[in-house]
Structures are given as structure tokens and as C-alpha cells.
Amino acid sequence: MSRNGTFAIAFHTLFVAFMLAPLVVVMWMSLTPSNLLSLPTTSFSLRWFWAILRHSQFIDAFWFSILLGVLSASLAMMLAVPAALALARYRFPGRDAFVALFLSPLIIPHVVLGVAFLRFFTQIGMTGTFIGLLGAHVLVIFPYGLRLVLAALTTSDPAIERAAISLGASQWTVFRRVLFPLMIPGVAGGWVISFIQSFDEVTMTVFVATPSSMTLPVRMYHYIEESIDPLVASVSTVVILLTFLLMAIVDRIYGLDRILVGKG
């Protein structure tokens, strides 16, 4: 018996089409031979992809975004793992307050965070520094990693840890041989989501980035302010294709269901 009726299949098809339509339009516009943002109807051209090579600022911003995303996601997960262990395995006064504090960047508008970071960095003399930008990104993406690690710990059975301790294993051995393998789906998924959030962040970054530390989304934002040619569409298409390629490689090697859903 089919689990989904005709209405459910039609609804999900329309939903997926609605979500993918903007990506398809952007990729389609990147193939236009025109000098303006328009959908090609009679001919297609790769001229705007070759134009990327003549704009080194986009290439530099791309590699800077990669570096910033990798470092910020790694630091965020290094903080999320011990924080999740403390919140999931221990009960102490003020625990709920710490949970609310750690997750508060999810509910604070990024415009407010950007203004606050700009003011704070100006006061301590860190305006425009890479360390300041890295710290801001870590703070913004930290809740995403924390939530996924907490979810992995919540679904794991604490009895396994107690059994390992009763057999003589030390706390470090229990963490390394028992607990951390159970957390790997949450840690891996948290790192991927954190990296994506860091790479795509623009609202907060535009306040703290400088010409020497400008990410790709901010570079594209400033370029759109000055020009309306399809170069931004071609850059967006390259990022979209690289993202699909990365997800395919991860799915091939490790499995997206294990990372995002936690299946064994």
C-alpha cells in the first residue's frame, strides 16, 4: 500500500520545485550573453564564467570564506562538544539559563549582532581584524553545532557509559572509545551546518568586514550595489555547483543520512 497519496505527492513536488526555482533561475541567468541580468531565450554563453577569472577579488574572497568557514566551524564544534556534554549529562543550578544563553544567537537579529560587534570591536581596538571576524562567526554559528551534538547525546543510552565505567574504563577512555563514536553523526552534521552558516553569513559580516577581510557574500553584496551585470549570477552558479559536488562526495564517502539524520 502506498504511504503517500496523490495530494501528498503533488504537495511535496510543488514544495521542492518552489525551493529549487530560485537556484534554477540564477543558474539560467548566468548563461546569458547579454550585459544585463536577463534570462537567455535564443542563445547561451559562458562569457560571464570566464569573466570571473578577470575579477581576482571574487576568487580571493572565495578562498577567504573557505578559510573562515573551516576555522569558525572547527572552533565552534570544539566548544559545542564539552558544552553539550555538560548540558546533557549533568544537572546543575542555572542549567536552563546556560541553554538559553548558548542558543540566544538564534533569536537575535543579525543586524543587531553586527552593530553590537562593530561597537565592541571599536572599543577594544579589534576593528577589521581577522580574529574579531572569526570570533563573531563562531558566536553566530555555535548554536547550530550545539543543537546537533545535544540531539546525538540525547538519543544515546547513558547505560553504555556506566557499563564501560563498571568494567574499569577511565573517563577519558569512555569518552574516546564509547561516547565520542556515538556523537560523530552530531559532530559531523554540526560541523557541516556550521560551515554553511559561516560561508553564507552576510548580514552580520557586512558590519565587521573590511576590504582586507571580505567574505564572498559580502563581496557580492557590494558588487551588486555598483553593477547589475550577470557576473554575480555566474559566481553564484559556481558556488551552487561546488556545493552540490561537495554534498555528493560527502554522501558517497560517509552518507548524508548519517550526518543530518544520525542513521547508522
Side-chain angles (χ1 to χ4, degrees):
M1 180 180 294
S2 176
R3 298 178 59 185
N4 295 317
T6 303
F7 177 79
I9 295 176
F11 173 80
H12 287 90
T13 301
L14 291 175
F15 179 80
V16 172
F18 177 79
M19 296 296 293
L20 294 180
L23 302 182
V24 174
V25 171
V26 169
M27 297 174 68
W28 191 4
M29 285 193 299
S30 67
L31 298 174
T32 181
S34 173
N35 291 326
L36 300 176
L37 280 170
S38 61
L39 295 176
T41 55
T42 58
S43 62
F44 299 91
S45 174
L46 298 177
R47 57 174 296 197
W48 294 110
F49 290 95
W50 291 110
I52 298 175
L53 301 178
R54 299 194 300 269
H55 292 75
S56 59
Q57 65 268 29
F58 283 107
I59 299 176
D60 295 339
F62 171 79
W63 290 116
F64 183 81
S65 295
I66 292 292
L67 174 63
L68 181 63
V70 169
L71 291 179
S72 58
S74 300
L75 289 176
M77 295 312 302
M78 290 174 63
L79 297 174
V81 169
L85 284 172
L87 295 175
R89 289 294 186 262
Y90 299 96
R91 295 294 182 267
F92 51 88
R95 176 182 176 275
D96 294 337
F98 276 105
V99 173
L101 176 64
F102 291 155
L103 300 182
S104 60
L106 293 175
I107 61 175
I108 300 177
H110 285 195
V111 173
V112 176
L113 287 175
V115 174
F117 279 130
L118 178 61
R119 178 66 176 174
F120 176 70
F121 292 151
T122 302
Q123 291 291 329
I124 64 176
M126 291 185 62
T127 305
T129 63
F130 179 77
I131 298 299
L133 182 60
L134 177 62
H137 273 240
V138 170
L139 179 64
V140 169
I141 67 177
F142 173 75
Y144 297 95
L146 179 63
R147 288 297 299 268
L148 289 181
V149 177
L150 276 175
L153 286 174
T154 302
T155 57
S156 63
D157 189 359
I160 301 177
E161 305 166 44
R162 294 193 293 267
I165 294 176
S166 66
L167 293 174
S170 63
Q171 291 289 344
W172 169 246
T173 302
V174 171
F175 173 78
R176 181 171 57 90
R177 301 292 297 274
V178 178
L179 191 56
F180 188 73
L182 297 174
M183 296 166 54
I184 286 180
V187 174
W191 192 94
V192 171
I193 298 300
S194 298
F195 174 81
I196 294 174
Q197 291 295 325
S198 175
F199 190 91
D200 289 341
E201 169 57 40
V202 62
T203 307
M204 179 272 296
T205 308
V206 74
F207 286 93
V208 296
T210 62
S212 61
S213 60
M214 190 171 294
T215 62
L216 182 60
V218 175
R219 175 65 68 184
M220 297 170 64
Y221 173 79
H222 287 305
Y223 186 84
I224 293 174
E225 291 180 332
E226 303 172 356
S227 178
I228 57 173
D229 59 49
L231 180 61
V232 173
S234 63
V235 175
S236 301
T237 300
V238 171
V239 173
I240 293 171
L241 294 178
L242 288 177
T243 302
F244 281 133
L245 178 61
L246 176 62
M247 299 300 285
I249 294 174
V250 172
D251 182 59
R252 184 71 175 178
I253 296 176
Y254 191 76
L256 290 178
D257 54 347
R258 297 179 64 187
I259 293 178
L260 301 179
V261 184
K263 293 181 179 180

